[in-house]
Amino acid sequence: MAVVKVEDIYFRRGDNEILRGLDWEISEGEQWGMLGLNGSGKTSLLSIISTYEFPSSGEVEVLGNRFGSTYLPELRKKIGYVSSSLEKFSDFFWNETIERVIVSGKFASFGIYEQVIEEDWTRANYLVKEFRLEHVKEKKFRVLSEGEKRRVLIARALMGEPHLLILDEPCSGLDILAREQFLEALEIATKNNVHLVYVTHHIEELVAEMTHVLLLKEGRVVASGPKHEVLTNELLSETYKVPVSVEWRADRPYLSIK
């Protein structure tokens, strides 16, 4: 079973064609990065595979569920989502303890409105430990640093044991230390039987755990596949519309302008 499969999808808003005949597939065991300039179609593609948008045409299958014959709100519960933009909902978390924020992820809700069983608190405490948040245990979300808040949000996304975890520019606005602490947490995520889709403008965030990369340009695929085959000078220069050079250190790519 493919984790994600999109075939010849188009996505239009009015007269604006955002995605154009896009094909892409995520197989079991793969962890994907997604790169492209603003306006390349990244956000629209994420909205589709996270079940919040339908393509204008084409076929989409996520976790074995084909769009058009699937109840999407139920499928959505199997998909974790972390984004810096989630912090616009921080008012819902503001006075909650980190444990309650994490548990709310089981229900994909902002706040807890359903019955929580003992096993839920046990899993929340396990995630607190896994993500090195024990020093802020039982603290209110509002007092956390930005880096700690992002780690709470990724723990929240894993609370429901999703098979697919979408990370949309999760390090945006973080300082270097907080970014590296967050990126270390990706190793924990991959050990929780989850498949990542990591979207970023900064290719050095594609840590060793990332196995594959999708490059987008103007709504089309420039290249997709194993990261060392895709992250080349030629393909990245085409994607970014400027001559660039990539250097690898500790299995992480670093970009410079030629």
Side-chain angles (χ1 to χ4, degrees):
M1 179 191 77
V3 177
V4 172
K5 188 174 185 179
V6 297
E7 297 177 293
D8 195 30
I9 63 168
Y10 286 77
F11 184 69
R12 304 176 183 88
R13 285 194 183 280
D15 295 330
N16 187 20
E17 193 169 65
I18 300 170
L19 298 177
R20 307 172 182 181
L22 194 144
D23 296 301
W24 181 40
E25 183 170 333
I26 300 176
S27 299
E28 289 282 348
E30 297 175 351
Q31 312 294 345
W32 282 77
M34 187 187 299
L35 301 171
L37 295 173
N38 289 337
S40 62
K42 301 188 304 296
T43 299
S44 296
L45 181 55
L46 286 188
S47 295
I48 290 169
I49 67 171
S50 60
T51 76
Y52 287 98
E53 296 277 9
F54 254 89
S56 303
S57 61
E59 299 291 335
V60 180
E61 188 175 301
V62 176
L63 303 178
N65 298 271
R66 186 171 290 273
F67 283 27
S69 58
T70 296
Y71 183 56
L72 294 184
E74 195 61 33
L75 173 59
R76 201 170 293 144
K77 292 181 180 179
K78 301 176 183 178
I79 303 169
Y81 194 93
V82 176
S83 170
S84 58
S85 65
L86 271 181
E87 291 185 11
K88 67 187 177 184
F89 298 108
S90 63
D91 286 351
F92 293 96
F93 302 142
W94 206 239
N95 288 308
E96 298 277 21
T97 64
I98 66 167
E99 290 84 356
R100 287 182 61 85
V101 173
I102 291 170
V103 165
S104 72
K106 176 184 177 180
F107 311 107
S109 61
F110 298 105
I112 300 174
Y113 308 102
E114 300 180 49
Q115 184 178 5
V116 179
I117 59 177
E118 187 62 34
E119 287 82 355
D120 296 333
W121 297 117
T122 299
R123 177 159 176 79
N125 285 323
Y126 159 78
L127 291 168
V128 166
K129 183 177 180 180
E130 281 285 275
F131 286 96
R132 301 176 187 171
L133 292 162
E134 290 177 295
H135 63 290
V136 290
K137 193 173 171 62
E138 299 182 3
K139 297 281 189 182
K140 298 291 180 68
F141 187 78
R142 68 172 185 267
V143 305
L144 272 55
S145 69
E146 291 305 308
E148 289 163 347
K149 287 177 182 177
R150 301 288 170 86
R151 299 212 304 278
V152 167
L153 291 178
I154 195 172
R156 176 182 182 272
L158 290 175
M159 181 66 198
E161 300 185 73
H163 202 48
L164 176 63
L165 176 58
I166 297 170
L167 303 167
D168 184 12
E169 298 187 40
C171 292
S172 175
L174 296 186
D175 62 32
I176 292 175
L177 175 60
R179 184 189 74 170
E180 292 305 308
Q181 289 174 336
F182 182 89
L183 293 175
E184 285 178 9
L186 297 186
E187 182 180 359
I188 300 167
T190 58
K191 289 178 179 176
N192 277 264
N193 192 36
V194 69
H195 294 80
L196 303 179
V197 175
Y198 190 102
V199 179
T200 181
H201 285 295
H202 305 284
I203 72 168
E204 68 273 13
E205 293 176 12
L206 300 180
V207 292
E209 286 73 27
M210 308 307 294
T211 63
H212 290 66
V213 174
L214 173 68
L215 300 181
L216 292 178
K217 176 185 174 184
E218 297 173 354
R220 301 184 189 276
V221 173
V222 175
S224 68
K227 63 182 179 183
H228 285 278
E229 297 178 12
V230 170
L231 296 178
T232 65
N233 295 350
E234 294 76 20
L235 291 172
L236 287 169
S237 296
E238 180 181 351
T239 300
Y240 289 129
K241 303 182 183 180
V242 63
V244 298
S245 176
V246 63
E247 177 185 349
W248 293 87
R249 299 197 294 270
D251 207 27
R252 284 174 68 174
Y254 291 81
L255 199 69
S256 59
I257 305 297
K258 286 185 176 179

